[in-house]
Amino acid sequence: MQKDTLVFNLIRKELERQRNGIELIASENFVSSQVLAATGNVMTNKYAEGYPGRRYYGGCEIVDQTEQIAIDRIKQVFNCEYANVQPHSGAQANAAVLFAVLKPGDKILGLDLSMGGHLTHGSLVNFSGKLYAPYFYGVTKEEGLVDYAQLEQKAREIKPKLIICGASAYSRDWDYARIRNVANEIGALVMADIAHPAGLIAKGLLNSPFEHCHIVTSTTHKTLRGPRGGIILLGKDFENPFGQKDPKGNIRMMSSLIDLAVFPGIQGGPLEHIIAAKAIAFGELLSEDYTNYAKQIQRNAQAMAKMFVQKNYHIISGGTDNHLMLIDLRNKNITGKKAQETLNRAHITLNKNAVPFDDKSPFVTSGIRIGVPAITTRGMKENHMETIVEMLDTVLMNIDDEQKIKSVGEKVNEFMKQFILYPELD
Ligand code: DSN
């Protein structure tokens, strides 16, 4: 077979783009070289429907071992009783949980997408809003904090079967205990989607949902710094409250319902090469290096937020507890779309984002979301945050000056040379 230079050249260009630019997309990161190497391995050839020790195909004795290592390590990371490492993504992890605990038409209550929520928490354009009956809580207009009073009021009024917490553009910690209290009152289950802050939770830098939330899901590629994928976790396994029984007539445990929901419920063969890469990444999470990394994320985010505030940028909620911040650009008279597109030309990558109570469409938006996990992986510290804020501000304050934008782009490329990425690929 002839080497496909067309596609390999594009992969090479993407490597150069990642090396030369400043990556501020809050949901992206750079995996370690060993995780990267493992994402392209021969386990991609293997069918392994089922779970370790109980597969529908022969020849699974080796992938059984990598999958079991991934399960054991992530359980150790979060000190939890159960893990399913097969979801192909965070969306699949959430789909499996909803499939396990709900029937079509059941009510769910999640954070509104336009207030910082996730697509799979009931958005009307997503399966979660089409198959189930979605209701939403938001954030307060004044402080931009989760409106727990509204959540409680809606929970009591609507009586959803599942309350979902977790966000994709929210910079503050969560009060999981308060959500569990109202869930207990109305007999609902609580699912926490910790895709964004998972790495900080793993290291005890943010509240842990495990004590209070029945089910926890996450992606593996954001702060957890693994390959793209999802996981489902239970702090403590429990008998399913719907009375579902196994063929012997015993009430199934929730872990069993979730396993069945992932496979054969919504997925077929697991991506065993990616599960091997997850196993390696989960091993890294247990290291001292990762602990230092997680602490640096928080320090960098706080340093960056402070500098933006000094330059009169309006950060929703006034600051950050985690790895990201959401900036409302209306006082600068710039849309999120224009900011994203212009910064992109200066090799600074981030995404436009709706801000709470936004008056612009999701394609335009009034804000930008900025995250520091990727630049922290590149080796940046608090002093580098100052340089980045300066460069970003120069672009935004000279948004129609192509010469200035080009010159910031050149500075970005020069600045990034000191942060070596994947030297083994040269
Ligand atoms: N789309 C992902 C994000 O960027 O946050 C998850 O919602």
Side-chain angles (χ1 to χ4, degrees), residues 379-389 415 418-419:
M380 292 190 203
K381 303 274 191 297
E382 290 93 317
N383 60 316
H384 301 116
M385 299 304 109
E386 196 172 347
T387 313
I388 291 181
V389 172
F415 174 66
Q418 64 190 298
F419 305 106

Side-chain angles (χ1 to χ4, degrees), residues 27 118 168 196 222 369:
S27 46
H118 278 283
S168 74
H196 267 270
K222 298 188 176 90
R369 184 184 65 163

Side-chain angles (χ1 to χ4, degrees), residues 10 24 47 49 65 76 116 154 206 244 287 333:
L10 289 172
L24 297 175
Y47 245 119
E49 287 179 3
Q65 292 177 52
Q76 195 184 337
K154 290 211 173 184
L206 292 172
Q244 289 201 30
S287 70
N333 210 16

